[in-house]
Amino acid sequence: MVSVIVAAPPVFGETVPLLELAASLVRRGHSVTALLGSRFAGSARAVGAHFVRLPDGADYDDRVLLGANPERLALPPGPEQYNWDLVNVFLNGMKGQHEALQRLLDEDPGAALLSNSLFCGAWPVMLGAPGRRPRKWVSVVAAAITAEDDATTVFGPIPGLTGEEAVTAHRAANAEFHAMLEPARRAAQDRLTEIGGTEPMPPFYTAVYHLPNTIAALTVPEFDFPRATPPSTLTYAGILPPHPGNESRKPDWWDELDAGRPVVVVTQGTTANGDLGQLVEPTLLALADKDVLVIATLCQDLSALGIVPPGNARVADYIPFDELLPRADLLITNGGAGGTQTALAAGVPVVMCGTTEEKPMNAARVAYHRVGIDLETATPSREQIVDAVTTILGDPSYREAVGRVRASYAAHDPIATVEALLS
């Protein structure tokens, strides 16, 4: 048995994978303390962890911060919004995270730390600030891998280049990516200096991938870009299994999934779903006269839908993906890593429609491996949706490519991998 501190910033998408890992570690007999936002207190206790709330200043509601926040919405998708997110959602909580983590390590100096990759409370002691280091620090990357490499950029290898020409171009592109995040790096440096850090803050994602002892990336090599020199810390762990479905929650139209028509699922995920007119509604309208069954999962109340669903559409607030996706032929998504990879692990091609956070990086992987189509927009037209759906359903090569990736997901055991990394 090992003693583990599980920590994440109070963001739903960052916290849920850590709670799933915490539950598995508890079931395997380990002692788990969950350092999380107050929103997740009940969930942490339900999995058998000892809950410790992040202190004021590091505890917030991401639905407010990332939802209809006028300051954030005033920024265009891209570098400005990305830096705003890193600073306001993650870096501003560094001091509180650090202080809470130090208190827990004072109580249990032999504890290991299992954190989300954007939990920066362990950065200060790694960069010269006084305090205890965890016995071992395993950082979980739940989003696209953004480690630099001579063989690729964060958006994939540059087409048409080989040899030293490719290396030079990739290094330049990676340096440009670091420069794009310079505002976040400077903000991190300011917070580190305030806490007592004496070493310079490296480029933001250099810190993410090189400060922890080990990175457990929730993906597989077959869904990453080829790498010449991956970080020595990097381990591909595979993806966590989806939450098991609840038989009593299946809607009365469930049997229609097996009626023979192609099943197209559309979702905007759990966070970026404030405006269903971006993707869900256009998809329902675009496919209204097609011989497909469209399933829209809103991840919110059905009243949020601003149109009357067409006759070939079924709408639900939530449907367990572990039950739905194996019966689907295609997923249309705004491109979060979790939903995208869950679909691929179920053998389902994807249409990607995302432009914020790491979603373009996920979409670039989909296009590179030909496991779907990247529409390169968060607000696709009806024509774009119809063309993408028609192309994928009519071309078996997409299913064949997904099959190769699916086999890799099946071969990985993320729980056993993380448990071994913590030992």
Side-chain angles (χ1 to χ4, degrees):
M1 186 189 79
V2 297
S3 177
V4 183
I5 299 168
V6 170
V11 177
F12 183 85
E14 312 291 343
T15 301
V16 168
L18 271 296
L19 282 171
E20 294 179 20
L21 288 167
S24 297
L25 291 171
V26 169
R27 286 194 296 269
R28 294 181 179 214
H30 302 293
S31 173
V32 176
T33 296
L35 178 60
L36 304 171
S38 54
R39 176 185 173 192
F40 304 99
S43 298
R45 293 180 179 124
V47 303
H50 170 62
F51 173 74
V52 176
R53 184 182 75 87
L54 286 167
D56 294 342
D59 187 15
Y60 52 84
D61 191 329
D62 65 310
R63 293 167 294 186
V64 176
L65 198 59
L66 291 172
N69 185 315
E71 181 180 350
R72 182 176 187 268
L73 292 176
L75 301 173
E80 288 184 76
Q81 195 177 94
Y82 200 172
N83 277 285
W84 189 97
D85 288 350
L86 291 176
V87 173
N88 291 277
V89 180
F90 302 107
L91 292 173
N92 282 349
M94 183 189 293
K95 184 177 181 181
Q97 293 176 4
H98 164 75
E99 292 172 349
L101 179 60
Q102 286 302 304
R103 286 193 291 271
L104 292 176
L105 290 174
D106 284 341
E107 296 170 3
D108 186 1
L113 174 63
L114 178 65
S115 78
N116 175 268
S117 63
L118 293 178
F119 177 87
C120 52
W123 289 8
V125 295
M126 306 301 288
L127 292 169
R132 295 183 185 273
R133 295 188 180 191
R135 175 182 59 79
K136 185 174 285 188
W137 177 15
V138 178
S139 179
V140 177
V141 172
I145 296 174
T146 49
E148 62 182 294
D149 193 281
D150 286 352
T152 187
T153 74
V154 295
F155 298 104
I158 298 174
L161 301 181
T162 59
E164 286 303 313
E165 187 180 15
V167 170
T168 299
H170 291 147
R171 288 178 178 174
N174 290 328
E176 185 178 347
F177 180 69
H178 286 317
M180 181 190 80
L181 298 180
E182 178 62 13
R185 191 206 67 81
R186 290 197 303 268
Q189 182 68 74
D190 291 343
R191 285 147 185 79
L192 287 166
T193 301
E194 177 187 359
I195 296 168
T198 58
E199 298 181 25
M201 171 68 187
F204 188 90
Y205 279 106
T206 299
V208 167
Y209 284 91
H210 293 277
L211 293 183
N213 299 113
T214 308
I215 299 292
L218 297 182
T219 188
V220 294
E222 288 76 7
F223 190 59
D224 193 15
F225 299 122
R227 296 185 178 275
T229 53
S232 60
T233 55
L234 179 62
T235 296
Y236 293 95
I239 63 170
L240 296 169
H243 294 294
N246 186 335
E247 190 74 23
S248 65
R249 295 199 62 177
K250 290 179 181 176
D252 56 10
W253 46 258
W254 191 256
D255 290 344
E256 295 182 49
L257 297 172
D258 301 317
R261 282 190 295 176
V263 176
V264 178
V265 177
V266 59
T267 182
Q268 288 181 215
T270 57
T271 301
N273 58 13
D275 179 9
L276 297 177
Q278 290 186 328
L279 180 58
V280 171
E281 293 172 7
T283 298
L284 294 175
L285 295 173
L287 302 179
D289 61 349
K290 305 302 178 185
D291 187 24
V292 296
L293 177 63
V294 185
I295 310 298
T297 64
L298 306 186
C299 298
Q300 59 178 311
D301 191 85
L302 300 184
S303 63
L305 192 67
I307 63 171
V308 176
N312 68 337
R314 306 293 179 263
V315 180
D317 56 349
Y318 167 79
I319 304 176
F321 266 14
D322 69 311
E323 293 285 348
L324 177 61
L325 287 178
R327 292 170 168 80
D329 296 276
L330 178 64
L331 173 68
I332 301 176
T333 173
N334 57 358
T340 299
Q341 294 196 95
T342 299
L344 298 177
V348 179
V350 289
V351 174
M352 303 289 278
C353 308
T355 57
T356 58
E357 297 96 26
E358 89 292 354
K359 292 167 186 171
M361 302 175 199
N362 298 328
R365 285 162 170 79
V366 165
Y368 180 83
H369 292 288
R370 279 190 56 81
V371 291
I373 292 174
D374 176 16
L375 294 183
E376 300 182 0
T377 176
T379 55
S381 68
R382 299 185 195 181
E383 292 75 16
Q384 286 176 298
I385 294 169
V386 170
D387 287 347
V389 170
T390 302
T391 298
I392 291 177
L393 293 182
D395 185 347
S397 68
Y398 287 98
R399 276 276 181 177
E400 293 168 2
V402 172
R404 292 189 290 272
V405 179
R406 180 185 190 181
S408 182
Y409 285 119
H412 283 75
D413 184 341
I415 307 301
T417 299
V418 169
E419 183 181 36
L421 294 174
L422 287 166
S423 64

